[in-house]
Amino acid sequence: MAESEIAATIRGLLADDARAVIPADVPPAWVDGIATVPDDGLSVEELDAVDRVITGCRVGIAATGTIVLDAGEAQGRRALTLVPDHHVCIVRAEQSSRWWIQSRRRSRCSMRRGR
């Protein structure tokens, strides 16, 4: 899927009146036309008032449907992905691994960079 199609796909998943919380560094093209609430240190209560979160990930594992988050680009802090009920996670093709062992290689690189 092209970057330009991401927002339209997400809009199709959300109700018309939906608001989604996002990390500060989510690419604007991902959320074009979507009512968003930037996470600038929102409290747990504030996060709980928003039904959805939109983030990226470090790696997506196709065989298990697992996403790996390391607080890197477009991922936000841990509470951001745990509190809202609905998590929309963008996994780019180059971030997708078929099996866990392939994802470990990518995660190790991330850990070496301090994430």
Side-chain angles (χ1 to χ4, degrees):
M1 171 181 302
E3 288 278 315
S4 60
E5 298 175 70
I6 292 174
T9 301
I10 293 172
R11 282 193 307 271
L13 298 172
L14 305 179
D16 290 338
D17 62 344
R19 290 182 319 136
V21 66
I22 58 169
D25 59 348
V26 159
W30 289 6
V31 293
D32 185 40
I34 298 170
T36 60
V37 178
D39 179 30
D40 56 0
L42 297 171
S43 68
V44 172
E45 292 78 17
E46 291 170 315
L47 288 172
D48 198 34
V50 179
D51 294 326
R52 292 153 184 83
V53 60
I54 300 169
T55 72
C57 68
R58 175 70 184 139
V59 177
I61 304 169
T64 61
T66 302
I67 56 171
V68 178
L69 304 170
D70 65 1
E73 180 185 356
Q75 297 172 44
R77 58 192 173 113
R78 187 169 182 184
L80 182 65
T81 61
L82 295 176
V83 177
D85 293 334
H86 186 177
H87 183 181
V88 176
C89 184
I90 307 305
V91 182
R92 293 182 171 124
E94 66 272 12
Q95 294 172 307
S96 179
S97 294
R98 185 167 181 176
W99 301 105
W100 174 248
I101 194 70
Q102 294 167 323
S103 71
R104 287 192 56 191
R105 291 185 195 114
R106 292 180 183 166
S107 295
R108 282 187 194 139
C109 293
S110 162
M111 286 187 288
R112 282 188 221 122
R113 290 192 303 264
R115 293 193 192 140

